[in-house]
Amino acid sequence: MLPHAQFSDLEIREMVEWVYSVRSNQMTEMRTGISNEFALLQTNKKIDGPIRLTVNYTDRGMGTVPPLTSSSSIVVRPRTTQAENSKRIQGMQILNSQNAENGKFCGGINNGSFFILDSVSLNHFSSITASVTSAGAGGRIEVRVGGIAGPLVSSMEVEVNGSWDKWDQVTGTKDPKVTNEESQPVDLYVVCRNESNRNGLMNIDWIRFNK
């Protein structure tokens, strides 16, 4: 560490005492350095949504110069998300089933029904898998950016398997033209379509973003 002649002996003493006073805390994780790795706090609750990591910095300033303050955040999310835990659900019902993961799924789906997965990075997956079932009309799942008519990321055909709770997995490849050069997370709209038979299309349990 370079010398800091601008600090008084008292200020240096305060900083050193603070460093030696730091203890492990279940609510606060502290890390040093420009690059580091750390494990999330242990919890019995399953993480099924975006996690925001925020770093704050404030120095002591000097003389007439006020303290400098800065803050930066990133958002990460697990690759698999339960449909019923989406940011917003439109035209669907959250229903119970012992055969669904976590015991719940999205059903009562008609043409145009959708849910939103927020804070998804377009650069971190190559395909999308959905856990689905249908004893109704079937149809397709469209994943779009920013709205139900936004740019198409991927689509998956859902065939009728004759059951409302026997889950199959369908996968669609991400359109290579859909990228996010700035790597900023976006909201993805998962839209269900069947223009010919508009009601009773399918049930959806979860969505997974594959590497």
Side-chain angles (χ1 to χ4, degrees), residues 17 41-42 49 63 112 117 134 137 149 151 162 170 172 177 205:
E17 288 179 346
L41 298 176
Q42 295 298 316
L117 301 177
S134 175
V170 294
K177 299 189 296 295
D205 190 6

Side-chain angles (χ1 to χ4, degrees), residues 30-88:
M30 296 184 179
R31 294 293 186 271
T32 59
I34 297 175
S35 177
N36 214 317
E37 295 182 0
F38 62 93
L40 294 175
L41 298 176
Q42 295 298 316
T43 175
N44 293 326
K45 183 179 180 181
K46 185 176 180 179
I47 298 174
D48 188 36
I51 302 170
R52 181 176 295 275
L53 303 178
T54 302
V55 176
N56 298 304
Y57 168 82
T58 303
D59 67 14
R60 295 179 64 91
M62 182 178 179
T64 59
V65 178
L68 297 177
T69 299
S70 181
S71 179
S72 181
S73 297
I74 61 171
V75 177
V76 296
R77 61 157 48 248
R79 290 195 175 274
T80 301
T81 298
Q82 300 298 315
E84 69 273 8
N85 292 336
S86 303
K87 175 182 178 181
R88 175 186 169 195

